[in-house]
């Protein structure tokens, strides 16, 4: 194989691996059972999860602690309680959502009620923190 062929194959493998590990936004009702509780934020998915404990995770791709929290959540999907949905909101793109909840730093979480009112807001943590904050 030539260097060009090997480089092209390596690039294709990296893109495939990145796509396979990405959490894609989708309707929670039609998602894989494991992923239903952790998905990218979209207004439609967020609205569809009404009646569940909704947690907004303000995540930035450039943030090392966000990456660690994301890896922890993805690695423990089976541990997310059945009544909890975690929405990964892009810290850099969800400007209106940040303003709505007064978010000033990435790696911030917000537990909201059915009307969208913030019940709890905290900075930092992993899945164990999210679980403890969503208990009554």
């Amino acid at each position: 194989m030539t260097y060009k062929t090997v480089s092209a194959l390596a690039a294709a493998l990296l893109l495939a691996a990145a796509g396979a590990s990405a959490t894609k936004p989708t309707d929670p009702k039609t998602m894989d059972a494991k992923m239903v509780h952790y998905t990218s934020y979209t207004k439609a998915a967020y609205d569809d999860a009404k009646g569940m404990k909704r947690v907004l995770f303000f995540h930035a791709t450039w943030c090392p602690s966000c990456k660690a929290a994301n890896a922890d959540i993805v690695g423990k999907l089976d541990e997310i309680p059945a009544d909890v949905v975690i929405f990964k909101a892009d810290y850099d793109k969800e400007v209106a959502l940040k303003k709505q909840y007064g978010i000033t730093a990435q790696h911030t979480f917000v537990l909201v009620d059915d009307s969208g009112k913030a019940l709890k807001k905290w900075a930092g943590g992993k899945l164990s923190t999210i679980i403890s904050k969503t208990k009554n």
Side-chain angles (χ1 to χ4, degrees), residues 60 98 130:
K98 285 192 322 189
I130 296 168

Side-chain angles (χ1 to χ4, degrees), residues 3-16:
Y3 175 77
K4 196 177 213 181
T5 304
V6 171
S7 295
L9 287 172
L13 286 172
L14 285 172
L15 286 172

Side-chain angles (χ1 to χ4, degrees), residues 5-32:
T5 304
V6 171
S7 295
L9 287 172
L13 286 172
L14 285 172
L15 286 172
S21 67
T23 304
K24 296 180 173 68
T26 187
D27 179 349
K29 294 174 185 168
T30 62
M31 293 171 63
D32 175 271

Side-chain angles (χ1 to χ4, degrees), residues 23-51:
T23 304
K24 296 180 173 68
T26 187
D27 179 349
K29 294 174 185 168
T30 62
M31 293 171 63
D32 175 271
K34 282 187 170 185
M35 292 304 292
V36 73
H37 298 289
Y38 186 49
T39 188
S40 294
Y41 172 84
T42 66
K43 179 75 169 119
Y46 174 82
D47 289 344
D48 284 344
K50 195 170 184 178

Side-chain angles (χ1 to χ4, degrees), residues 37-135:
H37 298 289
Y38 186 49
T39 188
S40 294
Y41 172 84
T42 66
K43 179 75 169 119
Y46 174 82
D47 289 344
D48 284 344
K50 195 170 184 178
M52 297 184 73
K53 294 177 183 174
R54 298 178 292 180
V55 176
L56 297 167
F57 169 24
F58 288 89
H59 176 279
T61 57
W62 46 265
C63 167
S65 57
C66 295
K67 289 178 186 180
N70 181 68
D72 183 65
I73 295 166
V74 169
K76 299 175 180 175
L77 292 173
D78 291 337
E79 296 178 27
I80 300 174
D83 63 340
V84 173
V85 179
I86 305 164
F87 292 96
K88 187 174 167 183
D90 188 311
Y91 179 80
D92 295 315
K93 294 179 182 174
E94 295 294 343
V95 177
L97 199 60
K98 285 192 322 189
K99 185 176 181 180
Q100 179 180 348
Y101 292 104
I103 305 302
T104 58
Q106 74 285 356
H107 199 182
T108 300
F109 299 87
V110 182
L111 173 65
V112 299
D113 67 10
D114 279 347
S115 66
K117 178 183 171 192
L119 298 173
K120 295 178 186 175
K121 182 167 63 169
W122 67 97
K126 294 185 177 183
L127 182 58
S128 59
T129 307
I130 296 168
I131 292 170
S132 69
K133 298 282 187 180
T134 58
K135 291 183 179 178

